[in-house]
Amino acid sequence: MPRTLLRDRAYEAIRDAIVAGEIEPGAVVRDADLAERLGLSRAPVREAFSRLVDEGLLESKPQSYTRVTPVVAGDVRDAAAVVGAMHELATRVAVPRLFAADIEKMRAANERFAAAVRAGDVDTALHADDELHDVLVRVSGNRAAAATVARYTPLIRRLERRRFGEGGTCRSPGLHERLIAACGDKDVDEAVRVTAEIWRTLVDLADSD
């Protein structure tokens, strides 16, 4: 397998384990241990570590340790503000370009999201939430916005997962329904307003943590 694919595989596996809480905040991670666990050499794992340090999920002290960062409210708040701004930008560009099939994908994702929230299924809920909003990011065609969303969303997801574990959620199927309705009506301003409201709840969540 090409080195870039091995590096990406290591990055995605470690990132997902951190976001899911399988590797807890404060846990020390070692490239040899994770390389063995993932069936990879140490080189792609070390490259993944470097990327995760840059993205704020790991912190490293040279010749000493690499460990998972704590969930810091200020970091989550900053990430939510940036990710929210990118989603607003994507929504403004995407809404006039949406086809009926795109709206249906959003609606189906929200149905899965609502069912998962009722069932307390955090993995399915957050995956469905990503699918819904990713429709707008994809249709916007803004690669810079997409890259920014991909980079900073994992910081937010850790706090969201913890709140799900406490029996709550900061996401609302009702807000999604309003967003979908605005998209269906090609109402750009309303779609952007609802998108801003959705992401503002995440900023508020960080402030209340």
Side-chain angles (χ1 to χ4, degrees):
M1 186 179 295
R3 179 173 176 175
T4 54
L5 294 181
L6 292 173
R7 179 187 61 208
D8 290 345
R9 177 184 162 192
Y11 164 77
E12 290 170 4
I14 299 166
R15 177 203 63 195
D16 291 349
I18 292 171
V19 171
E22 295 169 12
I23 307 176
E24 297 181 349
V28 173
V29 292
R30 297 178 177 83
D31 55 7
D33 294 341
L34 284 171
E36 182 177 0
R37 172 175 164 181
L38 297 173
L40 299 171
S41 68
R42 295 170 67 177
V45 173
R46 285 195 296 266
E47 291 180 37
F49 279 7
S50 178
R51 184 173 172 185
L52 290 163
V53 167
D54 186 51
E55 295 181 359
L57 291 174
L58 292 178
E59 56 187 4
S60 182
K61 182 177 180 181
Q63 309 303 320
S64 182
Y65 62 77
T66 300
R67 66 189 178 194
V68 178
T69 56
V71 179
V72 178
D75 292 343
V76 176
R77 181 175 60 249
D78 291 347
V82 170
V83 170
M86 293 301 98
H87 277 289
E88 289 177 47
L89 173 63
T91 298
R92 187 172 296 282
V93 174
V95 169
R97 303 178 180 179
L98 292 169
F99 291 103
D102 298 315
I103 302 296
E104 184 53 39
K105 286 180 182 177
M106 295 175 69
R107 187 171 290 112
N110 195 39
E111 289 173 358
R112 291 192 297 275
F113 173 80
V117 169
R118 289 193 298 270
D121 183 348
V122 60
D123 289 323
T124 299
L126 294 180
H127 183 68
D129 185 73
D130 281 339
E131 287 184 329
L132 189 156
H133 292 285
D134 283 351
V135 170
L136 294 166
V137 175
R138 173 181 55 78
V139 172
S140 78
N142 190 319
R143 290 185 292 178
T148 303
V149 167
R151 174 171 180 167
Y152 290 107
T153 296
L155 287 172
I156 305 166
R157 289 304 195 207
R158 290 203 293 170
L159 183 56
E160 286 189 280
R161 281 179 172 276
R162 190 168 76 191
R163 284 302 170 91
F164 264 108
E166 295 167 353
T169 175
C170 58
R171 300 297 184 107
S172 165
L175 281 174
H176 286 162
E177 288 169 5
R178 285 174 51 199
L179 174 61
I180 294 166
C183 289
D185 293 339
K186 303 292 186 183
D187 188 339
V188 174
D189 290 340
E190 175 64 8
V192 171
R193 277 194 295 269
V194 177
T195 297
E197 186 174 349
I198 289 171
W199 289 94
R200 190 163 55 245
T201 62
L202 290 167
V203 175
D204 293 342
L205 177 71
D207 286 338
S208 66
D209 192 57

